[in-house]
């Protein structure tokens, strides 16, 4: 009887010791897992603030081509009609290490500070550290140029056109499927087009981004 009781007490002590060991192992494993998760999130945060820091896309005019100029003057009543189409190639550079998915954008064309044309930009996806050329075809709104029509014709005859574009492209940068940031890329470009050569002589662009 005494021996059986001693064996029972010994077994209970073994069970309690085993439970304590298991509990200690569970606590250690839980602590290690928490530390690993914490280290993982710290690394991700450091990368997001340094290597993967969100940067504004750069937008600039790659080329501008005058597709057609057809002025016509009728007499005795002076009636000036002008048909001018510009083919613009807008280059968008994504400097982020994540893809930039942009929605529908808009580009305005200005002449001497007045809007004379507008074109919609189709949505698309620009890969990480990549670029894309967005084609835009603009037909000038002649009625909007009525106040500057004589100056415009004079510039065409002189062989140079100085114009401006204001482009706005909203989108979202997706980093590792975890960090998603909305960005609105805007740019203002002033460019000079050589009428006879049908190409850009010079341009100056300013880029901004709203987060």
């Amino acid at each position: 009887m005494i021996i059986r009781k001693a064996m029972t007490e010994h077994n209970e002590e073994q069970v309690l010791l085993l439970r304590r060991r298991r509990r200690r192992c569970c606590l250690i494993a839980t602590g290690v897992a928490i530390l690993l998760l914490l280290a993982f999130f710290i690394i991700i945060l450091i990368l997001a603030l340094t290597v993967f820091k969100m940067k504004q896309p750069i937008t600039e005019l790659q080329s501008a081509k005058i597709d057609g100029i057809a002025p016509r003057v009728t007499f005795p009543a002076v009636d000036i009609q002008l048909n001018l189409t510009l083919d613009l190639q807008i280059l968008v550079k994504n400097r982020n290490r994540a893809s930039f998915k942009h929605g529908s954008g808009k580009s305005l064309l200005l002449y001497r500070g007045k809007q004379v044309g507008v074109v919609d930009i189709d949505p698309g996806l620009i890969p990480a550290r990549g670029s894309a050329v967005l084609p835009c075809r603009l037909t000038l709104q002649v009625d909007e140029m009525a106040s500057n029509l004589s100056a415009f014709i004079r510039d065409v005859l002189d062989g140079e056109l100085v114009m401006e574009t204001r482009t706005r492209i909203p989108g979202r940068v997706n980093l590792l499927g975890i960090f998603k940031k909305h960005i609105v890329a805007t740019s203002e470009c002033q460019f000079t087009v050589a009428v006879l050569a049908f190409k850009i002589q010079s341009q100056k662009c300013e880029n901004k981004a709203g987060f």
Side-chain angles (χ1 to χ4, degrees), residues 28-29 37 80 87 185 204:
I28 292 173
L37 285 174
I80 301 177
D87 282 328
K204 181 180 180 182

Side-chain angles (χ1 to χ4, degrees), residues 59 62 88-92 102-103 121-124 126 132-137 167 169:
T59 305
Q62 188 178 48
L88 304 179
Q89 301 288 327
I90 298 177
L91 178 65
V92 181
H102 63 86
I121 298 174
D122 294 331
I126 302 176
V133 177
L134 308 180
C136 301
R137 187 174 177 85
T167 305
I169 303 176

Side-chain angles (χ1 to χ4, degrees), residues 41-185:
F41 282 111
I42 290 175
I43 292 173
I44 292 295
L45 182 61
I46 292 173
L47 290 175
L49 295 176
T50 54
V51 178
F52 296 110
K53 185 179 180 180
M54 301 297 179
K55 300 176 182 178
Q56 67 178 36
I58 295 178
T59 305
E60 62 184 33
L61 272 177
Q62 188 178 48
S63 66
K65 179 183 177 182
I66 301 176
D67 191 38
I69 301 178
R72 185 176 63 180
V73 183
T74 60
F75 297 98
V78 178
D79 182 19
I80 301 177
Q81 297 181 0
L82 183 66
N83 180 22
L84 175 63
T85 302
L86 283 177
D87 282 328
L88 304 179
Q89 301 288 327
I90 298 177
L91 178 65
V92 181
K93 297 179 182 178
N94 178 21
R95 301 187 297 161
N96 294 287
R97 296 182 182 272
S99 60
F100 175 58
K101 184 178 181 180
H102 63 86
S104 299
K106 194 176 292 291
S107 185
L108 306 179
L109 181 67
L110 297 96
Y111 175 70
R112 295 182 180 264
K114 189 173 184 179
Q115 181 180 324
V116 295
V118 60
V119 65
D120 293 326
I121 298 174
D122 294 331
L125 179 67
I126 302 176
R129 310 288 288 181
S131 61
V133 177
L134 308 180
C136 301
R137 187 174 177 85
L138 280 165
T139 299
L140 267 66
Q141 301 167 356
V142 180
D143 55 335
E144 297 294 338
M145 298 182 62
S147 60
N148 291 322
L149 194 55
S150 59
F152 179 79
I153 294 175
R154 185 168 59 252
D155 289 344
V156 171
L157 295 176
D158 288 340
E160 288 186 353
L161 280 174
V162 179
M163 310 190 82
E164 298 177 47
T165 58
R166 294 177 184 173
T167 305
R168 183 181 185 273
I169 303 176
R172 183 178 64 183
V173 174
N174 191 340
L175 177 60
L176 302 177
I178 301 175
F179 299 99
K180 297 180 180 180
K181 193 75 172 179
H182 290 275
I183 297 178
V184 179

